[in-house]
Every structure is written in structure tokens, then in C-alpha cells.
């Protein structure tokens, strides 16, 4: 293999107690002379590459500086404004409980009030502030100072990144929106050869950089995949609740990755004792103690954090809910869903792009579950509340003095909000729902889904499970609002008893990658170690090391699509070639149109051939429903035009940087790349598929666009799910047929034996009769 391929060794601590053997080897630096520059031997490459990525995604320094200082201003504004509303406003005068004296000598009253009448003087306002408010202000001020220092530090570091972009990468701020991350990544790999950003390796790979940026995120994805996270709590009546709030995630990351007592001693290396099995009990007790301390600290600060969360909710969402009450009925991908659907080594903008494409099909799928009972109630509330709202608004338009009636404005707001929420619960009468088709449209983008969901998409059980990943907005807001109260108890009573499992996970699934450090072994996408035979991987039989739901295989396919120039390791290349060979074999079967007679016995080979043909046809069919879906889709029109028209791109123009482009910084993978053999191109090569499914072959030049690349990834996800399902079904049928054949053979042998025994008995009987 080329030297650019990452090499690593597993931590064998689970098999030995020798500490010296379990310590990872020290990195060896390059011995040859290198050209010294400002960018040679960067100390913290994790932070450096992460800042390079965030600088690109935020389009440079201006937006980063604005974000930092507006966050500081927001904290200060919310604090001062809340104190002002609590202690500096005379609500008796504001609510007309007390009249305003205009002439203090004559004690004359006026009905018209000014802003100065309802605000206390500064000295009285300060005297009204009690100890609790001062304590809260002190805590917020300490936090604000900490954020100020952090903001200054971030701006200073991003100034260095700006210099790196301009001087080393030759990319100016104005060009960032028109450059993809893949282009920046290619320049980083070239900079390694020239400046030696990392001195532990001669060359870096795309996977090395992704491993550094997503080192801790890959651990979280793996923990969700292995069932360690998220917290799942059984509550009577409500059933199972998944409580992976933002507050819990922050505490978990602080505890395990970057806190003072974290298992990681620095950004790239796990503490040596975590790699030794003999210290398991000691580390479990230490981690349990740390979780307990953090939980108690959260419990102490929970009142302050809860008030802060409540203020943010009121200030951020009150106006939005008043203007558009149906926003509470909208949905979002939950924190659990984002980790469940996330591939290993998938950056934020790549995940956002996939989930954004899946949003509309997911909404259509859930809308197919129509509750007639709820719809009837919703129509009733729309009629009654809408009538009251309309009459009061018309009266207000006729005479503006009507608005001065007590609580009238509250009634108008409440009835309007109830009518808006109820209207969002009424299904569209002109929309025809096909749950199974919509489920596969979701699968094409999210890439992960249990087999039971695909087999029973119409069941309410599948719907309830999917809702845990795609939750209502008001459920998310409620979880975040109650997070300060819930998080301490989750830490103490749910996470703390699982300390041993967490220690075992870090020891068993951490590998030392040369030039990168300690990373999650799943992040290497090694199909031999973490693959699953059910997903076409040639892997070891140890089920404890297998990723669930085809996470290793699909992550590898996705990474190859987003980084087509990456040099795959031998095992990964063998898996990709095996998948293509499987598709070519199915294509040949489809072209030959093998038709077996119904009277011909079904052998294992014939069953496999038929199922393989079905998997190819089904994948093409589901892709067709995705591309030509009449429902609104963010990419459907673009994909249609890309499929139905011949592109006229000139690769030489694109290489010279003259290709017209815009707003491409958040595109998955490269904007253009050399055309390669893909699963979709193999499927399109079948004349039967072309004539029956209507997906034409792209006759253009040897260029693949980002849209075509995204479409091929959708097809790859659908195809590998179908192959996995069909192979499992084939194995089941073959087993049943073999079992049936064995049973028939046994019965025939019994009948034959009984016949022979019967003949012998008749012969003996005849002899006896003859002798008598």
C-alpha cells in the first residue's frame, strides 16, 4: 500500500495485564531535513484542522468575529434586561392599579402615562435588588468574563487561520463561499508535503484529517451505535423516553473528552491506564466518583441554569409563536437522531445536507398516519376559535377603543394560536399517501433503518420509533427547558452505574493511528474488524466488535463518495469491489432474463438469482420514486434536470477555476470529479432497467457532478439494504428447503423401512401357515 494509507495497531489491553506492553508506541518524527516555515510542526493539529474547517464554513473572519461578540452582547443584554423588568418597573402604574400624580402640590391625577412614570429611578432600582438577584448576576458575570476571554482567544487563533488561508492555501475571504470543503482538503494535503504540518508522517490522508476533526464525535456515534447512549428511561403511561438533551451532551463531553478529569490526557491521547485491563476496577471507581461530583454540581446550579433557559425560551420563541403558532407543530431531527443517522467521519455540513434532503419525505411519511379522531377535534377548534378571533379583530378594526377592554388582546392572541395549531393537525385531503414508498425515500437520504421498519412501515409501532428520531419542535423545547432539572439525575442514577461499560468501551475500541493518535477504532471503517457478514463484509465472527445496522459499510461507502481521491486500504477496497461485482452479477442476471419453470424444483442457486434480480429492481424502483416524486423536494428538480439533460461541462475550464459557481461551501464532496464506475452506472447499464424504469444513462463527458454523486449515494444506500434483506431471506428459504428435504427423506426412509418390515412379517406368517 501507499505510504498515504493510515496504519494503526489495536490496543490489546483486554488480553494482557502488562502495562508496558499496553502503552502505545511513541511517535517517531521524520528524520530527513525539512524546509522550516511558519506552518511546520503544528503542536495541536486537532484544533488547527477544526478551526480551518469552521473558518471555511463560516466564510471567514467577519462572521466569526460577529458571532463571538454578539454572543457576549446577548448574554449581557438578557441579564440586564431581566433584572430591569424584575426590579425597575412599577407594575402598579403600568397595569393602572395606581394613578399617576401629575401635580404633587395639588395632588392632581392624569390618565395618560409616560415611560418615566413606570420606571423607578436608578438608585431605587439598585436598592430593590435582593441577595438572590445579586448572586445570579455574579454567576452570570463570571461566566461572561470566561466567555470574553475565550472569545478573545478564538479571534486570535482565527486570525492565524486567516493568515494560513491567504499565505499558504492562497484562498481569500471573498472566495470562501465559492470553494467546497473538498478543495480546501486537497490543498491541506498538498501543504503537508511542502510544510510538514505533521512531522510524524510523510503524507497525510483525507481520513487522517477527518479523524482529527471528528475524534470525539466518532466516539459518540460509536457509543450510540453500540447501545451505550442515549439515556433511555421507562416512564409509566408515557413508555420509553430518550433524554439526550443538549445539556446532557455538554456534560458528557466535558466528563469524557476535555474536562480536567477526562480519560483523555490531551486532545489526541488516551490516558495509559485506560489501556490496561488490570486497572479496570480502579478506573471504574474513579469515573463513578467524577460523575457523582459533576451530577451534584449540576444539581446545585440547576436553579440558575433553569431560569436562564426559561428566559432564553421566552425571549427567543414568544414572538415567533405569536406570529406563527404552527411552528410548535413542526418537526426537527432530535439530538439522538442526528447521532443515530450520522456516519463515522461525517462532518457537520455533510450531515446537515443529508438530513435536509430527508426532511420533506419524513414529514410526508408521518403525515400518512391520519387520526380521524384528532382531525375532527382539530376542525372543531378551528371553527370555534377562528370565529372568536375573526369577530374580535373585526370589532377592533371598526373601533380601536375595543382593544382597551381588559384581557381582550390576550383572548385574540390565545384564540389565534389555538386555531393555528389546530389547523396544522388537519391532514391534506388532496394528498395520497404511500407509507412504504415514503419510508424508502427517507432511507435513501438517512441511510440507516432497521429491517422491521422497511417491512412494516404502516404500523404505529414503527411510527412511534421513528418519532423518537424526528420529534416535534415543542417536545424539543420542553426537553431543553427541563434539561437543567433532569440532567443531574440522569448523571447520578443512569450514567454512574454504567461506568464499567464506559471504561471497557474506551479500552476495547481505541486504536493508535500513526500520525493521528488514539482514535475510535470504528472511525477507521475497517470492514474486517468491525464489519458484518450480513452486509457483505468478510469479517471475524466476534459479534461484540461488529457495528450495528451496517454502520461500518455505509460509512465507508459515504466516505468514498465524499472523498473520491482517497486511497482505500486493502480490506476496504476489497469490500467496494465485492459490492460492485455483486451489482454486475445481478445486472447480467437481469439482462439474461432467466425464467425458471414453476414445475422446476427450487434450488438454492435459483432462489439466490431471483432474489438478486429483485434487489436490483427494487433499488431502481425506489430511486425512481425519489427522483420523480411529485411532492416538493429540495433536490428533485435539480436531479431531474441532471438526469434528463446532457451536461455541457468542460473539465479544463473547471480546473482553471473559471467554472461559474456560487454558494457551494456546504456541498457534500467535490463539485466535479472524474467519472468512475459506480453502482448506479452499473445498474443503468442494464437494458431491462433502462426500458422499464426510465432512468437514462448519462451520455455526457467524463465528469461527475455533485448532484450525480449524491444520487449515486442514495442508490448505494438503497441497494445495500436490499441486498442485505434479500440475502438474509435467501438464507432463510434455503435453510427451510434443506430442512424440508431432510424431513421428506427421513419420512421416506421410515416408510421404506416399514414396508420392508411388513414384507418380512408377511413372509414369516406365510411360512408358519405352510408348516402347519
Amino acid at each position: 500500500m501507499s505510504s498515504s494509507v493510515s496504519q494503526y495497531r489495536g490496543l490489546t489491553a483486554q488480553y494482557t495485564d502488562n502495562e508496558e506492553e499496553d502503552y502505545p508506541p511513541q511517535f517517531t518524527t521524520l528524520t530527513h531535513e525539512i524546509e522550516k516555515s511558519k506552518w511546520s510542526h503544528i503542536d495541536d493539529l486537532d484544533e488547527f484542522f477544526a478551526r480551518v474547517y469552521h473558518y471555511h464554513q463560516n466564510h471567514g473572519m467577519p462572521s466569526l468575529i460577529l458571532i463571538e461578540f454578539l454572543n457576549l452582547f446577548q448574554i449581557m443584554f438578557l441579564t440586564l434586561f431581566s433584572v430591569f423588568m424584575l426590579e425597575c418597573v412599577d407594575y402598579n402604574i403600568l397595569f393602572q392599579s395606581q394613578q399617576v400624580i401629575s401635580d404633587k402640590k395639588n395632588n392632581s391625577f392624569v390618565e395618560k402615562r409616560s415611560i418615566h412614570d413606570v420606571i423607578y429611578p436608578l438608585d431605587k432600582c439598585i436598592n430593590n435588588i435582593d441577595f438572590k438577584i445579586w448572586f445570579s448576576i455574579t454567576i452570570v458575570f463570571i461566566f461572561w468574563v470566561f466567555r470574553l476571554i475565550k472569545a478573545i482567544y478564538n479571534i486570535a487563533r482565527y486570525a492565524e487561520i486567516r493568515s494560513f488561508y491567504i499565505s499558504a492555501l492562497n484562498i481569500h475571504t471573498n472566495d470562501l463561499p465559492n470553494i467546497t470543503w473538498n478543495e480546501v482538503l486537497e490543498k491541506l494535503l498538498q501543504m503537508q508535503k511542502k510544510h510538514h504540518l505533521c512531522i510524524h508522517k510523510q503524507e497525510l490522508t483525507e481520513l487522517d484529517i477527518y479523524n482529527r476533526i471528528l475524534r470525539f464525535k466518532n466516539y459518540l456515534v460509536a457509543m450510540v451505535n453500540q447501545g451505550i447512549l442515549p439515556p433511555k428511561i421507562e416512564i409509566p403511561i408515557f413508555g420509553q423516553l430518550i433524554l439526550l438533551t443538549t445539556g446532557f451532551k455538554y456534560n458528557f463531553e466535558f466528563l469524557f473528552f476535555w474536562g480536567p478529569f477526562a480519560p483523555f490526557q490531551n486532545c489526541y491521547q488516551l490516558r495509559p491506564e485506560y489501556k490496561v485491563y488490570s486497572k479496570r476496577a480502579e478506573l471504574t471507581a474513579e469515573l463513578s466518583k467524577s460523575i457523582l461530583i459533576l451530577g451534584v454540581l449540576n444539581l446545585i446550579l440547576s436553579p440558575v441554569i433553569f431560569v436562564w433557559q426559561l428566559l432564553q425560551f421566552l425571549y427567543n420563541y414568544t414572538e415567533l409563536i405569536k406570529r406563527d403558532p404552527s411552528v410548535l407543530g413542526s418537526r426537527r431531527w432530535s439530538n439522538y437522531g442526528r447521532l443515530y443517522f450520522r456516519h463515522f467521519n461525517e462532518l457537520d455540513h455533510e450531515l446537515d445536507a443529508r438530513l435536509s434532503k430527508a426532511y420533506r419525505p419524513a414529514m410526508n411519511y408521518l403525515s400518512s398516519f391520519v387520526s380521524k379522531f384528532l382531525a375532527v377535534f382539530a376542525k372543531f377548534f378551528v371553527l370555534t376559535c377562528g370565529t372568536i378571533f375573526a369577530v374580535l379583530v373585526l370589532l377592533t378594526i371598526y373601533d380601536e377603543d375595543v382593544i382597551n377592554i381588559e384581557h381582550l388582546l390576550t383572548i385574540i392572541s390565545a384564540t389565534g394560536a389555538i386555531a393555528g395549531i389546530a389547523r396544522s393537525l388537519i391532514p391534506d385531503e388532496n394528498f395520497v399517501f404511500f407509507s412504504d414508498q415514503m419510508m424508502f425515500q427517507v432511507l435513501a437520504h438517512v441511510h440507516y433503518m432497521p429491517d422491521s421498519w422497511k417491512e412494516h412501515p404502516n404500523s404505529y409501532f414503527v411510527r412511534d420509533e421513528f418519532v423518537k428520531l424526528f420529534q416535534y419542535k415543542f417536545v424539543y423545547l420542553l426537553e431543553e427547558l427541563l434539561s437543567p432539572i433532569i440532567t443531574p439525575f440522569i448523571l447520578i442514577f443512569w450514567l454512574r452505574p454504567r461506568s464499567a461499560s464506559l471504561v471497557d468501551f474506551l479500552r476495547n475500541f481505541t486504536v493508535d493511528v500513526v500520525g493521528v493518535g488514539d482514535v475510535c477504532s470504528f472511525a477507521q471503517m475497517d470492514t474486517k474488524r468491525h464489519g458484518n457478514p450480513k452486509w457483505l463484509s468478510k469479517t471475524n465472527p466476534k459479534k461484540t466488535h461488529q457495528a450495528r445496522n451496517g454502520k461500518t459499510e455505509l460509512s465507508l461507502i459515504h466516505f468514498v463518495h465524499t472523498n473520491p481521491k482517497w486511497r482505500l486500504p486493502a480490506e476496504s477496497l476489497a469490500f467496494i469491489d465485492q459490492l460492485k461485482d455483486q451489482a454486475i452479477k445481478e445486472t447480467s442476471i437481469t439482462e439474461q432474463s432467466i425464467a425458471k419453470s414453476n414445475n422446476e424444483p427450487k434450488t438454492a442457486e435459483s432462489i439466490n438469482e431471483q432474489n438478486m434480480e429483485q434487489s436490483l429492481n427494487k433499488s431502481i424502483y425506489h430511486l425512481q420514486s425519489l427522483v420523480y416524486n411529485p411532492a416538493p423536494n429540495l433536490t428533485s428538480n435539480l436531479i431531474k434536470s441532471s438526469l434528463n439533460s446532457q451536461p455541457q461541462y468542460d473539465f479544463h475550464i473547471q480546473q482553471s477555476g473559471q467554472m461559474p459557481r456560487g454558494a457551494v461551501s456546504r456541498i457534500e464532496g467535490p463539485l466535479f470529479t472524474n467519472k468512475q464506475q459506480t453502482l448506479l452506472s452499473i445498474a443503468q447499464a442494464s437494458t431491462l432497467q433502462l426500458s422499464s424504469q426510465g432512468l437514462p444513462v448519462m451520455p455526457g463527458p467524463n465528469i461527475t457532478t455533485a448532484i450525480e454523486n449524491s444520487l449515486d449515494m442514495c442508490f448505494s444506500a438503497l441497494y445495500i439494504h436490499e441486498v442485505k434483506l434479500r440475502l438474509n431471506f435467501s438464507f432463510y428459504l434455503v435453510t427451510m428447503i434443506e430442512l424440508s428435504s431432510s424431513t421428506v427423506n427421513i419420512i421416506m426412509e421410515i416408510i421404506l423401512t416399514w414396508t420392508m418390515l411388513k414384507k418380512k412379517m408377511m413372509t414369516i406368517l406365510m411360512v408358519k401357515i405352510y408348516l402347519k
Side-chain angles (χ1 to χ4, degrees):
M1 291 299 296
S2 170
S3 59
S4 64
V5 178
S6 299
Q7 302 293 329
Y8 69 92
R9 75 176 184 92
L11 301 178
T12 57
Q14 61 268 33
Y15 306 113
T16 178
D17 293 341
N18 191 337
E19 295 186 27
E20 296 181 356
E21 292 180 2
D22 292 319
Y23 288 170
Q26 297 296 322
F27 289 140
T28 57
T29 59
L30 298 175
T31 56
H32 63 275
E33 293 294 329
I34 61 175
E35 180 185 354
K36 295 291 183 180
S37 70
K38 180 181 179 181
W39 312 111
S40 299
H41 187 195
I42 296 176
D43 294 332
D44 190 349
L45 275 175
D46 283 33
E47 181 186 4
F48 179 79
F49 287 141
R51 291 188 183 277
V52 168
Y53 171 71
H54 291 298
Y55 185 91
H56 170 262
Q57 291 297 299
N58 289 282
H59 300 171
M61 282 290 289
S63 59
L64 289 169
I65 294 175
L66 192 64
I67 289 172
E68 293 289 348
F69 281 104
L70 286 184
N71 285 338
L72 290 171
F73 176 78
Q74 178 182 353
I75 295 173
M76 187 62 67
F77 172 78
L78 291 180
T79 303
L80 295 179
F81 184 74
S82 300
V83 173
F84 171 80
M85 294 301 297
L86 286 173
E87 305 296 345
C88 301
V89 177
D90 190 344
Y91 289 98
N92 290 326
I93 296 178
L94 180 65
F95 295 139
Q96 292 185 336
S97 299
Q98 176 181 334
Q99 291 182 321
V100 179
I101 301 177
S102 61
D103 188 357
K104 295 184 178 179
K105 293 183 179 180
N106 300 324
N107 290 330
S108 59
F109 299 95
V110 295
E111 293 184 0
K112 188 175 182 179
R113 294 158 296 169
S114 64
I115 189 68
H116 301 288
D117 296 328
V118 297
I119 298 177
Y120 291 129
L122 181 61
D123 54 347
K124 186 175 181 180
C125 179
I126 296 176
N127 292 331
N128 288 341
I129 302 177
D130 57 11
F131 174 76
K132 295 179 180 178
I133 302 297
W134 280 117
F135 177 75
S136 301
I137 293 174
T138 303
I139 293 178
V140 173
F141 179 74
I142 294 173
F143 176 73
W144 186 86
V145 171
F146 171 76
R147 289 294 301 270
L148 176 63
I149 297 173
K150 184 179 179 181
I152 296 173
Y153 172 78
N154 288 337
I155 292 173
R157 296 309 300 267
Y158 278 119
E160 297 178 3
I161 301 299
R162 178 180 179 275
S163 176
F164 175 76
Y165 264 89
I166 295 175
S167 61
L169 301 183
N170 195 25
I171 299 175
H172 295 274
T173 302
N174 295 335
D175 298 328
L176 288 174
N178 301 323
I179 294 179
T180 64
W181 166 249
N182 191 267
E183 294 173 284
V184 176
L185 188 62
E186 290 183 4
K187 289 180 177 290
L188 285 175
L189 299 179
Q190 295 172 3
M191 287 300 102
Q192 168 64 17
K193 300 176 182 179
K194 181 179 180 180
H195 295 284
H196 292 288
L197 307 175
C198 174
I199 64 172
H200 304 298
K201 291 184 69 174
Q202 181 66 31
E203 295 182 6
L204 289 177
T205 67
E206 293 87 344
L207 185 59
D208 293 337
I209 296 177
Y210 272 70
N211 279 170
R212 285 188 174 274
I213 297 175
L214 300 167
R215 187 189 303 272
F216 299 141
K217 187 69 71 175
N218 282 327
Y219 273 103
L220 288 177
V221 174
M223 288 180 182
V224 170
N225 181 258
Q226 294 298 300
I228 296 178
L229 291 178
K232 298 180 180 180
I233 301 174
E234 294 288 343
I235 298 180
I237 301 176
F238 295 99
Q240 186 185 75
L241 295 183
I242 296 178
L243 300 174
L244 188 60
T245 62
T246 304
F248 175 80
K249 274 184 60 183
Y250 181 86
N251 280 275
F252 189 88
E253 292 174 2
F254 174 83
L255 186 66
F256 282 89
F257 301 135
W258 49 270
F261 305 105
F264 281 82
Q265 62 183 13
N266 49 47
C267 64
Y268 62 87
Q269 196 170 24
L270 192 67
R271 285 163 51 189
E273 55 267 28
Y274 271 87
K275 304 170 185 179
V276 183
Y277 179 78
S278 59
K279 294 192 175 182
R280 178 177 183 267
E282 177 184 344
L283 293 173
T284 299
E286 178 185 335
L287 182 60
S288 178
K289 181 180 178 181
S290 300
I291 296 174
L292 179 61
I293 294 174
L294 186 63
V296 172
L297 185 62
N298 272 266
L299 191 61
I300 295 173
L301 296 177
S302 59
V304 177
I305 302 175
F306 174 75
V307 171
W308 179 257
Q309 292 280 75
L310 181 61
L311 292 176
Q312 280 198 319
F313 171 78
L314 292 176
Y315 295 148
N316 288 333
Y317 292 100
T318 302
E319 188 275 334
L320 179 62
I321 294 173
K322 179 181 179 299
R323 176 166 45 88
D324 185 14
S326 62
V327 71
L328 295 177
S330 62
R331 292 185 179 271
R332 67 180 297 276
W333 299 104
S334 65
N335 293 336
Y336 170 50
R338 292 182 65 85
L339 288 175
Y340 179 84
F341 292 131
R342 190 168 195 150
H343 294 295
F344 296 122
N345 302 306
E346 184 175 24
L347 294 170
D348 290 340
H349 77 281
E350 297 169 352
L351 175 67
D352 292 338
R354 285 197 303 113
L355 296 186
S356 296
K357 297 171 189 175
Y359 183 87
R360 179 58 59 186
M363 286 293 294
N364 290 338
Y365 169 72
L366 291 178
S367 298
S368 64
F369 291 89
V370 178
S371 173
K372 208 66 179 176
F373 180 81
L374 186 62
V376 171
F377 261 108
K379 290 180 181 179
F380 171 77
F381 281 108
V382 168
L383 175 65
T384 54
C385 295
T387 301
I388 297 173
F389 175 82
V391 170
L392 293 180
V393 169
L394 290 175
L395 291 175
T396 304
I397 294 174
Y398 177 76
D399 187 354
E400 63 180 11
D401 291 335
V402 176
I403 201 70
N404 295 325
I405 298 176
E406 188 176 14
H407 301 310
L408 183 68
L409 188 60
T410 304
I411 296 174
I412 293 177
S413 301
T415 53
I418 294 174
I421 295 174
R423 191 174 291 107
S424 65
L425 299 176
I426 301 176
D428 187 356
E429 297 178 354
N430 300 317
F431 198 92
V432 180
F433 298 101
F434 296 96
S435 300
D436 53 346
Q437 185 185 89
M438 294 172 189
M439 179 62 79
F440 278 98
Q441 290 179 10
V442 175
L443 175 62
H445 294 301
V446 301
H447 302 166
Y448 296 103
M449 192 172 292
D451 290 338
S452 60
W453 292 16
K454 293 173 284 185
E455 295 169 358
H456 308 286
N458 299 310
S459 67
Y460 273 88
F461 172 78
V462 174
R463 184 253 182 204
D464 294 339
E465 291 295 312
F466 185 72
V467 162
K468 296 176 183 177
L469 306 172
F470 195 54
Q471 61 184 176
Y472 277 118
K473 190 69 174 286
F474 79 88
V475 175
Y476 164 74
L477 295 176
L478 185 62
E479 288 180 354
E480 294 301 319
L481 187 62
L482 299 178
S483 176
I485 301 174
I486 298 173
T487 299
F489 297 99
I490 296 178
L491 290 172
I492 297 173
F493 298 107
W494 186 88
L495 187 63
R496 188 164 166 255
R498 290 165 175 78
S499 300
S501 299
L502 294 166
V503 171
D504 291 338
F505 181 88
L506 292 175
R507 183 184 67 256
N508 294 330
F509 298 112
T510 297
V511 293
D512 178 21
V513 180
V514 176
V516 180
D518 291 336
V519 300
C520 181
S521 60
F522 288 100
Q524 295 302 300
M525 300 175 294
D526 186 353
T527 56
K528 184 176 181 181
R529 178 178 182 181
H530 293 304
N532 193 320
K534 295 180 180 180
W535 296 85
L536 300 181
S537 288
K538 296 179 180 178
T539 180
N540 55 44
K542 211 168 188 178
K543 291 186 177 181
T544 55
H545 288 174
Q546 293 176 357
R548 303 175 183 177
N549 299 323
K551 179 74 80 171
T552 301
E553 293 79 6
L554 283 164
S555 295
L556 176 61
I557 295 173
H558 179 265
F559 194 80
V560 171
H561 276 80
T562 53
N563 298 277
K565 295 183 180 181
W566 175 53
R567 300 179 189 175
L568 283 74
E571 296 82 5
S572 302
L573 185 61
F575 169 76
I576 297 295
D577 290 341
Q578 179 188 1
L579 193 61
K580 291 180 180 179
D581 292 341
Q582 180 83 4
I584 293 173
K585 184 178 180 181
E586 295 178 18
T587 301
S588 64
I589 294 173
T590 304
E591 290 175 343
Q592 294 171 8
S593 301
I594 299 176
K596 301 284 186 177
S597 174
N598 293 332
N599 298 327
E600 190 174 340
K602 292 186 176 294
T603 62
E605 184 179 357
S606 65
I607 292 174
N608 284 329
E609 289 178 352
Q610 290 179 10
N611 286 331
M612 284 192 295
E613 185 178 351
Q614 290 178 13
S615 65
L616 189 70
N617 291 334
K618 279 199 171 185
S619 301
I620 290 288
Y621 170 75
H622 294 311
L623 184 69
Q624 179 193 10
S625 68
L626 175 68
V627 174
Y628 297 98
N629 179 25
N633 193 300
L634 294 176
T635 59
S636 60
N637 293 330
L638 293 176
I639 294 175
K640 286 181 192 178
S641 61
S642 176
L643 285 171
N644 295 328
S645 62
Q646 178 175 345
Q648 301 295 330
Y649 302 130
D650 188 349
F651 187 60
H652 298 289
I653 294 178
Q654 193 272 334
Q655 278 187 325
S656 63
Q658 300 175 5
M659 175 66 66
R661 55 170 73 187
V664 297
S665 61
R666 301 185 69 82
I667 282 182
E668 301 174 87
L671 191 59
F672 304 97
T673 185
N674 293 329
K675 182 162 288 187
Q676 301 174 356
Q677 186 187 42
T678 61
L679 291 178
L680 183 56
S681 65
I682 293 172
Q684 288 178 324
S686 170
T687 56
L688 176 62
Q689 299 302 328
L690 290 174
S691 61
S692 61
Q693 306 300 339
L695 289 177
V697 179
M698 297 298 296
N702 294 325
I703 301 297
T704 299
T705 65
I707 295 177
E708 295 174 66
N709 196 32
S710 176
L711 184 62
D712 181 69
M713 183 63 221
C714 293
F715 177 78
S716 300
L718 291 170
Y719 175 71
I720 194 171
H721 273 272
E722 285 296 330
V723 170
K724 184 252 182 182
L725 184 63
R726 293 300 167 185
L727 287 180
N728 291 346
F729 183 69
S730 298
F731 176 77
Y732 172 76
L733 281 183
V734 171
T735 304
M736 291 299 295
I737 291 175
E738 292 178 352
L739 182 61
S740 300
S741 301
S742 301
T743 305
V744 170
N745 292 334
I746 293 173
I747 294 174
M748 292 298 294
E749 289 180 1
I750 293 174
I751 294 174
L752 184 60
T753 304
W754 169 251
T755 303
M756 294 177 62
L757 183 61
K758 187 177 180 181
K759 287 182 178 180
K760 288 182 179 181
M761 292 177 63
M762 289 296 294
T763 303
I764 295 172
L765 183 60
M766 292 295 293
V767 171
K768 288 183 177 181
I769 294 173
Y770 177 76
L771 292 175
K772 287 183 178 180

